[in-house]
Amino acid sequence: MLETMGKVEEIIALNDNDKERLIQILLELQKEFRWLSREVLERVGKKLDVPINHIYSLVTFYSHFSLVPKGRHVMSVCVGTACHVRGAERLLDSVASAVKCKPGCTTSDEKFSLDTVNCLGACALGPVMVADGEYMSNPTPDEISRKVESCE
Amino acid sequence: MSDTVTFTIDGKEVSADKGTSLLMAARSLGIDIPTLCHHDELADFGACRLCIVEIDKGGWKKIVTSCLYPVEDGLSVETESEKVIRHRRTILELLRARWSEMPRELIEKYQVPEDRMETESTFCVMCGLCVRHCSERKGANVLGFVGRGTERQVVAHEEPALKYCRDCAAENGMECLAVCPTGVVVNDFALSPPHMTPKGTKARPVRARDNENQEEVNKLIGD
Amino acid sequence: MSEVAIRINTPEELESLRDKVISARDPDATVVSVCTGPGCLAYKSHLVAENIEAELEKHGLADKVRVSRTGCHGFCERGPSVVILPRQTCYLRVKPEDAEEIVKTTLVEGGVVERLLYEGSDGVKIELEQEIPFYKHQDKVVFGVNKYIDPMQMDDYLAGGGYRALAKALTKMTPKEVTEEVTKSGLRGRGGAGFPTGRKWDATSRVEADQRYVIVNADEGDPGAYMDRGILEGNPHSVIEGLMIAGYAVGSTEGYIYVRQEYPLAIDHVLYAIDVLRGMGLLGENILGSGFDFDIKVHKGAGAFVSGESSALMSAIEGRVGEPRPKYIRTSVSGLRGKPSSLNNVETMANVPLIIDRGADWYAAMGTEGSKGTKIFSLVGKVLNTGLVEVPMGTTLKQIVFDIGGGMRGGKKFKGVQTGGPSGGVIPEAQLDLPVDFDQLASAGSMMGSGGMIIMDEDTCMVDVARYFLDFLADESCGKCVPCREGIRQLVVVLKRITAGEGREGDIALVEDIAEMMKDSALCGLGQSAPNPVLSTLKYFRDEYIAHIEEERCPAGVCKPLIAYWIDPDKCIGCQKCAKECPVDAISGEKKEPHTIDMEKCTKCDTCFRVCPTKVQAVTKITRAEAEKLGAPRQVEEAGA
Ligand SMILES: Cc1cc2nc3c(=O)[nH]c(=O)nc-3n(C[C@H](O)[C@H](O)[C@H](O)COP(=O)(O)O)c2cc1C
Ligand code: SF4
Ligand code: FES
Ligand code: FES
Ligand code: FES
């Protein structure tokens, strides 16, 4: 806990205690902890003098923030238009069965999170997913299981 | 440059100070425009769009919200043009799907159709009056929005609630209840144990006063 | 790395640096341009580059041949793309293990690796990039330089004339002249509405203020569009130079680049470029000795489509919720921190240096009466050649889809093209001759948007497409105003009902009432344009809606509650493929005997339909009525859930 708060203070300080950089700070915290706990958010609020209701409006507004712990490996499946017309739904189904978790959820061992995103910016290759940082274009169920198995 | 402008509302000529909203100018003439999210003492919000009027700016016609649109020289404003009425009716129809006890006079005046839309009455019309009142005038920041899109909600945050709500209730009887147009905001959080919503916020949605929590609420607001 | 670390204080010093960079390079030297854009990276092009470097080392060519890791070349479908410069030999679908052969055959022996060349449907191979049909019909004014530029090499941008336009603007033109030049060029914003850029700058510069802001919109929220990423990631300096010129024109000393956090490489490249520029004194005080001070900050977006709207974006930069402001005041008057602010899209900015460098007349000679220059489109969906394409405004849809895109995949029939993202619409086959520009697209009931073109074939249900977009918007709307939040909610209910075969009489009228109200009364552009996908599909594909509502039939065979899968016993050869693949074991039958599907078990996942051999095609989609005749249970899907 102490360590966590130390990190929070550090990130806020690196951003010059600047209220305007609130979203940037939260992005860094999200990256650091893979989620934003209530304690972390309260600390940010106190430190920057932003009321808690504003902070929650903000973190629940942007899709990138998570208020529950995310898995160590994030599978993001694009459901953007270009991918949608090329079978994103099918890809989503196979990934869901490979990681054994529903879209938008995290496995109970916090190993995997399965997210849907609206565009990954690689639309020509649809359907696209990013598996643990790696872009994959229309992977076969086999490729997906291999990737999933390679995750620690 | 003078500080007043002259224009017409429903054919009547008016002068008003620069910066006045069309809504205020209309009211000063006794013209009634329905509003929901506007409050004279709270920041502009522009969310309900009930107050729409049609303006004509040198032949260029446009629908605007009167609570926000500032008066302009030479403008011609119609508060009940055919289009305004038509759109207002649809807006009311949408609102009614969320607010089953919408006042009859509105329904009758605008002949709001029934049964065309799927109803899911939560009573909160997301006018944000309570949120603004709690932040702007009380500085308590108990109430806030969470989420976006059709999932947007008003919630109460526990920490500031424990700090402020009892006193606010004791002094004036929960002021947020008084500003709520649907009259059913319930901030029963202060009485109940903390609670996690699916998104993990330790805050709870405001919800309609119903048979189950009626008593709790009464206790809370000291009825 | 030859990154310049010297300070550049005058335009003359800039030119002499440029001369030095250019003369240090042999124009005939071979450069291997390896695309490391988003598409090619997905196919491991970084390994391709590494392996080529290793092979060059082996052959002792490391100091003669340079490997350049560039941004997107355009033809992402066939990536990884490798172009050997200056000869322009283009290799496609290159695998890391192809490096050895490429180096040996092409770079050592001067030959061509035939198997990596483009091969048309006629079987003819094409060596040179500019002769490949996908590229041949393009006019890559903005995007063409990508393959010459390593975004992490300032030298590459300088060698191509980088920052010459900035120097010209700062030292030979007044801010007003810069704005006038841009106005004269006819440049219109590439971010959506097509607002004249010069006019926006002019308005911003006219407002009295102690500070003004210029901002680049790199939020690129339209799903299916990625040209801004292609530019920013591949050629960040072009956007930065445009932003600096904009800053000078409107009288601003502080610029912002708002990039979605989903584009980490673009962010890295931009931050790196800014660092280099600061080191050279090209950002900071008294740039090029002109007295112009300017610096740039980068702000990351945390994922919200609506934050791409101008007032919302400015709120987000201020650290607040990125929802649109309801005020009737333009951001050019009161924007970021209440100061006059000018927001432009990435592609708009990338056009600016070209206009200043080559002149408004040159620019205005391209395009149509009302829309000048070129436009980059993200050509995606069911078309054969997908990728980023740049064509002059006024090019017809047919040219884009068929000449460049190579027509439809799998021999399917073209049905429509969706442009303009969630705010746009679908344009049907009958309008394929439409010359694409801002006004023509708008009059066809769609819009340019940021330039996504999603090609749809006969297997696409247009009611489902409308439902898809409304579903997207239900989540992406900020949810503040009633017309948008509640209007979308009800539109989704109705569209779900229709796609479930539960459509009612009066549904189309209800949709139209809500849509019309939203157009006029919603708070921001998102809500005002949210009904467009429904209205445009209703306009061109009304009979599809009617088929769903009145006949409970989905003509394209997409809407699951309205279709069933059935095996034609006369066609089935009993190969058992489908029975093996069916995830719920709904298919039974003996080997070499016709199979049957248990419709009660079937989840309509489409697997059997896809695995049934093309020559056999025994698996058939039938209508709900037909299925019921065959005894299938009626599937009641919760409409609106
Ligand atoms: C809901 C919504 C989302 C938008 N998203 C973007 C975006 O992602 N990128 C963009 O450049 N413009 C976007 N725009 C348009 C911007 O508001 C603005 O018009 C544009 O960035 C101005 O730049 P331009 O004049 O160079 O086109 C969006 C508009 C709306 C209403
Ligand atoms: S609870 Fe009442 S006052 Fe608060 S936003 Fe909802 S309707 Fe408005
Ligand atoms: S739509 Fe899927 S990557 Fe863009
Ligand atoms: S009163 Fe004007 S928008 Fe609500
Ligand atoms: S990403 Fe390589 S060609 Fe587009």
Side-chain angles (χ1 to χ4, degrees):
Chain A
M1 196 58 181
L2 259 179
E3 219 174 287
T4 304
M5 288 308 159
K7 194 77 208 170
V8 173
E9 305 258 329
E10 185 188 321
I11 287 175
I12 295 177
L14 280 174
N15 282 284
D16 306 326
N17 287 301
D18 185 353
K19 230 190 247 192
E20 278 203 352
R21 294 192 57 80
L22 178 57
I23 298 174
Q24 309 305 300
I25 291 169
L26 293 170
L27 279 171
E28 286 174 41
L29 291 169
Q30 168 78 39
K31 193 168 170 192
E32 180 72 32
F33 303 124
R34 290 185 282 128
W35 69 301
L36 299 170
S37 68
R38 182 169 185 87
E39 290 74 25
V40 165
L41 291 176
E42 275 173 1
R43 177 62 65 102
V44 173
K46 295 239 153 71
K47 208 67 208 164
L48 294 176
D49 193 24
V50 180
I52 197 75
N53 58 347
H54 288 201
I55 299 215
Y56 270 101
S57 300
L58 208 122
V59 295
T60 55
F61 187 84
Y62 290 105
S63 56
H64 187 63
F65 298 124
S66 172
L67 291 169
V68 288
K70 277 255 144 140
R72 294 188 298 284
H73 308 279
V74 179
M75 306 281 152
S76 310
V77 178
C78 178
V79 292
T81 327
C83 293
H84 173 75
V85 302
R86 283 179 33 171
E89 204 183 320
R90 226 177 292 132
L91 176 60
L92 186 61
D93 286 346
S94 4
V95 182
S97 64
V99 297
K100 302 193 183 58
C101 117
K102 277 197 217 128
C105 299
T106 300
T107 53
S108 53
D109 55 1
E110 286 183 23
K111 186 167 174 187
F112 293 109
S113 286
L114 174 57
D115 287 345
T116 57
V117 291
N118 284 330
C119 181
L120 287 164
C123 325
L125 310 181
V128 189
M129 69 178 287
V130 175
D132 210 18
E134 186 192 341
Y135 276 84
M136 299 176 87
S137 160
N138 198 11
T140 62
D142 275 352
E143 285 167 329
I144 297 169
S145 349
R146 247 178 287 140
K147 180 77 204 174
V148 165
E149 275 155 29
S150 76
C151 292
E152 296 287 309
Chain B
M1 246 179 24
S2 93
D3 282 342
T4 59
V5 296
T6 309
F7 61 105
T8 66
I9 301 185
D10 293 342
K12 288 182 211 150
E13 196 171 287
V14 257
S15 296
D17 288 344
K18 262 202 180 135
T20 315
S21 66
L22 293 180
L23 177 68
M24 289 303 151
R27 284 195 179 160
S28 72
L29 287 179
I31 295 174
D32 181 41
I33 299 176
T35 64
L36 189 55
C37 69
H38 173 83
H39 190 294
D40 287 351
E41 285 163 49
L42 296 174
D44 294 329
F45 202 55
C48 74
R49 320 302 278 181
L50 263 191
C51 68
I52 49 170
V53 295
E54 189 163 8
I55 57 168
D56 186 331
K57 214 170 162 174
W60 182 68
K61 288 191 161 198
K62 197 178 172 231
I63 296 281
V64 300
T65 43
S66 63
C67 67
L68 289 169
Y69 202 90
V71 295
E72 258 171 54
D73 258 325
L75 214 58
S76 150
V77 182
E78 272 189 85
T79 66
E80 299 210 313
S81 70
E82 183 271 331
K83 207 181 214 171
V84 168
I85 299 283
R86 196 151 37 90
H87 290 347
R88 197 173 281 156
R89 176 180 304 133
T90 310
I91 294 172
L92 285 167
E93 191 181 359
L94 288 170
L95 279 171
R96 187 187 188 184
R98 310 285 287 171
W99 177 18
S100 54
E101 286 166 28
M102 176 183 274
R104 292 247 45 105
E105 4 28 298
L106 275 176
I107 296 174
E108 274 154 25
K109 171 156 188 210
Y110 292 98
Q111 297 167 354
V112 181
E114 215 169 336
D115 295 339
R116 290 208 305 171
M117 295 183 183
E118 191 172 88
T119 58
E120 187 195 334
S121 212
T122 59
F123 291 89
C124 176
V125 290
M126 228 75 79
C127 68
L129 284 170
C130 57
V131 175
R132 279 174 288 153
H133 182 83
C134 185
S135 318
E136 289 171 24
R137 301 193 63 206
K138 305 294 291 186
N141 289 304
V142 174
L143 298 170
F145 291 108
V146 293
R148 68 176 186 214
T150 49
E151 299 294 307
R152 191 164 153 125
Q153 279 185 327
V154 174
V155 299
H157 292 273
E158 189 192 57
E159 190 213 21
L162 291 172
K163 203 156 132 198
Y164 295 105
C165 291
R166 265 168 216 283
D167 289 348
C168 173
E171 274 167 42
N172 308 305
M174 291 295 259
E175 292 166 28
C176 52
L177 301 187
V179 294
C180 179
T182 70
V184 283
V185 55
V186 165
N187 306 317
D188 56 351
F189 46 87
L191 292 174
S192 320
H195 142 125
M196 299 283 277
T197 66
K199 277 219 154 186
T201 50
K202 223 181 199 174
R204 58 180 49 215
V206 300
R207 62 184 170 110
R209 190 194 304 231
D210 56 30
N211 295 335
E212 274 169 46
N213 59 18
Q214 185 81 46
E215 245 177 62
E216 276 180 279
V217 178
N218 289 349
K219 247 191 282 169
L220 180 69
I221 61 177
D223 250 7
Chain C
M1 280 256 175
S2 62
E3 279 313 313
V4 264
I6 45 166
R7 283 191 77 81
I8 302 295
N9 301 308
T10 62
E12 293 71 37
E13 285 177 24
L14 178 67
E15 283 318 307
S16 73
L17 173 65
R18 190 190 319 284
D19 289 344
K20 238 188 354 219
V21 169
I22 293 174
S23 60
R25 290 183 170 184
D26 172 1
D28 298 323
T30 305
V31 176
V32 184
S33 167
V34 181
C35 172
T36 50
C40 293
L41 265 187
Y43 292 133
K44 312 215 170 2
S45 65
H46 55 296
L47 297 181
V48 172
E50 261 172 45
N51 288 3
I52 293 181
E53 268 170 348
E55 289 296 323
L56 287 171
E57 190 80 46
K58 257 194 228 159
H59 288 91
L61 285 173
D63 48 356
K64 293 214 188 69
V65 177
R66 189 160 58 90
V67 174
S68 177
R69 292 167 173 80
T70 73
C72 176
H73 291 177
F75 203 176
C76 316
E77 172 86 43
R78 305 256 180 141
S81 156
V82 172
V83 182
I84 317 282
L85 302 170
R87 59 190 267 187
Q88 305 285 356
T89 302
C90 174
Y91 291 137
L92 297 166
R93 298 218 170 108
V94 179
K95 295 199 186 62
E97 54 272 23
D98 295 329
E100 191 181 339
E101 194 178 349
I102 293 178
V103 172
K104 187 161 171 289
T105 309
T106 308
L107 301 172
V108 177
E109 295 164 4
V112 171
V113 185
E114 290 277 334
R115 67 183 176 84
L116 296 176
L117 294 180
Y118 173 85
E119 187 183 327
S121 46
D122 50 3
V124 179
K125 304 220 173 202
I126 300 173
E127 179 192 341
L128 302 182
E129 192 194 66
Q130 67 273 23
E131 283 166 16
I132 296 172
F134 178 81
Y135 288 114
K136 196 162 114 188
H137 301 281
Q138 295 191 43
D139 200 348
K140 304 218 283 178
V141 176
V142 176
F143 203 59
V145 291
N146 258 28
K147 70 175 179 224
Y148 300 103
I149 291 183
D150 174 342
M152 302 297 264
Q153 292 284 337
M154 175 74 168
D155 283 3
D156 286 352
Y157 189 64
L158 284 179
Y163 294 100
R164 193 164 57 206
L166 176 74
K168 179 175 172 185
L170 293 189
T171 55
K172 300 209 177 78
M173 299 166 86
T174 63
K176 197 156 181 263
E177 282 165 353
V178 173
T179 306
E180 275 165 6
E181 193 71 12
V182 172
T183 306
K184 207 169 110 199
S185 75
L187 175 65
R188 291 171 68 176
R190 271 31 175 174
F195 194 84
T197 306
R199 252 175 55 203
K200 193 185 275 185
W201 292 4
D202 184 50
T204 313
S205 69
R206 279 172 194 276
V207 184
E208 278 304 320
D210 53 359
Q211 178 61 294
R212 299 184 188 83
Y213 296 106
V214 279
I215 308 167
V216 179
N217 190 343
D219 197 36
E220 195 155 68
D222 280 8
Y226 66 111
M227 51 268 140
D228 292 350
R229 175 185 197 163
I231 299 173
L232 202 60
E233 221 170 87
N235 194 0
H237 282 290
S238 66
V239 181
I240 293 176
E241 187 176 0
L243 177 63
M244 293 174 75
I245 295 172
Y248 176 69
V250 310
S252 158
T253 62
E254 212 174 311
Y256 282 83
I257 302 182
Y258 183 100
V259 201
R260 65 203 309 240
Q261 64 80 33
E262 290 91 331
Y263 291 175
L265 263 185
I267 295 170
D268 285 353
H269 293 175
V270 167
L271 288 173
Y272 181 76
I274 291 175
D275 251 8
V276 171
L277 291 170
R278 284 187 187 143
M280 293 172 72
L282 286 177
L283 278 177
E285 282 172 14
N286 193 19
I287 295 166
L288 293 173
S290 65
F292 173 59
D293 305 337
F294 194 74
D295 209 345
I296 298 174
K297 289 188 181 144
V298 173
H299 182 103
K300 285 179 254 176
F305 172 64
V306 68
S307 283
E309 191 273 343
S310 38
S311 67
L313 184 142
M314 293 178 197
S315 291
I317 294 182
E318 292 167 5
R320 295 189 287 123
V321 174
E323 61 185 27
R325 302 176 186 171
K327 298 255 163 76
Y328 287 99
I329 183 156
R330 271 194 284 274
T331 47
S332 55
V333 176
S334 169
L336 183 58
R337 305 184 188 113
K339 306 287 182 198
S341 308
S342 177
L343 175 72
N344 286 113
N345 165 265
V346 168
E347 190 183 337
T348 314
M349 286 299 191
N351 273 285
V352 168
L354 299 173
I355 291 169
I356 298 301
D357 191 36
R358 302 189 206 172
D361 294 334
W362 163 79
Y363 194 82
M366 293 180 290
T368 60
E369 186 58 36
S371 309
K372 298 300 184 192
T374 61
K375 176 79 192 88
I376 305 175
F377 292 101
S378 132
L379 185 62
V380 295
K382 299 285 188 69
V383 67
L384 199 58
N385 303 327
T386 56
L388 294 179
V389 307
E390 181 177 356
V391 289
M393 293 278 190
T395 307
T396 65
L397 277 172
K398 197 183 246 153
Q399 287 170 303
I400 297 175
V401 178
F402 290 92
D403 297 347
I404 297 173
M408 305 303 287
R409 316 184 124 218
K412 296 276 181 178
K413 210 165 150 313
F414 174 90
K415 184 163 180 180
V417 46
Q418 207 280 341
T419 72
S423 324
V426 182
I427 297 170
E429 194 190 0
Q431 302 236 10
L432 267 175
D433 286 319
L434 191 83
V436 178
D437 72 9
F438 287 106
D439 311 312
Q440 296 281 348
L441 283 176
S443 67
S446 184
M447 61 185 258
M448 180 76 85
S450 54
M453 273 196 182
I454 293 132
I455 312 300
M456 297 171 174
D457 65 13
E458 54 193 316
D459 293 339
T460 318
C461 166
M462 289 302 162
V463 189
D464 180 63
V465 166
R467 181 207 52 82
Y468 168 83
F469 279 112
L470 266 304
D471 248 352
F472 170 88
L473 291 166
D475 183 40
E476 292 290 346
S477 150
C478 78
K480 181 170 179 175
C481 79
V482 173
C484 183
R485 184 186 66 243
E486 301 303 330
I488 291 175
R489 186 198 309 277
Q490 295 295 342
L491 287 177
V492 169
V493 168
V494 177
L495 290 170
K496 280 201 173 145
R497 183 154 82 207
I498 297 177
T499 53
E502 316 288 329
R504 304 175 193 157
E505 207 192 313
D507 271 353
I508 293 182
L510 176 59
V511 164
E512 284 170 337
D513 279 354
I514 298 175
E516 217 204 314
M517 181 278 296
M518 288 174 73
K519 265 186 150 170
D520 285 334
S521 324
L523 190 156
C524 83
L526 187 146
Q528 288 155 12
S529 61
N532 286 357
V534 201
L535 291 178
S536 80
T537 47
L538 262 176
K539 178 166 169 185
Y540 296 118
F541 303 95
R542 204 179 184 93
D543 28 330
E544 263 183 67
Y545 280 81
I546 293 172
H548 281 78
I549 299 174
E550 290 177 7
E551 300 160 34
E552 299 185 6
R553 187 170 64 84
C554 173
V558 170
C559 297
K560 281 189 184 176
L562 298 184
I563 55 166
Y565 289 82
W566 175 72
I567 298 175
D568 186 341
D570 296 339
K571 286 188 182 164
C572 179
I573 54 166
C575 73
Q576 295 200 308
K577 254 199 181 132
C578 55
K580 275 195 209 107
E581 298 271 342
C582 175
V584 292
D585 291 329
I587 304 177
S588 56
E590 295 298 317
K591 198 163 187 167
K592 305 231 164 97
E593 294 292 325
H595 283 46
T596 48
I597 298 177
D598 180 343
M599 292 193 195
E600 225 161 313
K601 269 193 186 168
C602 170
T603 58
K604 303 179 187 170
C605 72
D606 205 48
T607 305
C608 53
F609 187 76
R610 280 179 298 122
V611 299
C612 186
T614 7
K615 279 197 221 108
V616 181
Q617 290 192 4
V619 179
T620 321
K621 289 185 198 174
I622 56 176
T623 64
R624 175 145 98 183
E626 286 163 344
E628 276 164 6
K629 253 189 241 148
L630 291 165
R634 173 161 257 218
Q635 196 180 12
V636 196
E637 200 127 309
E638 200 47 55

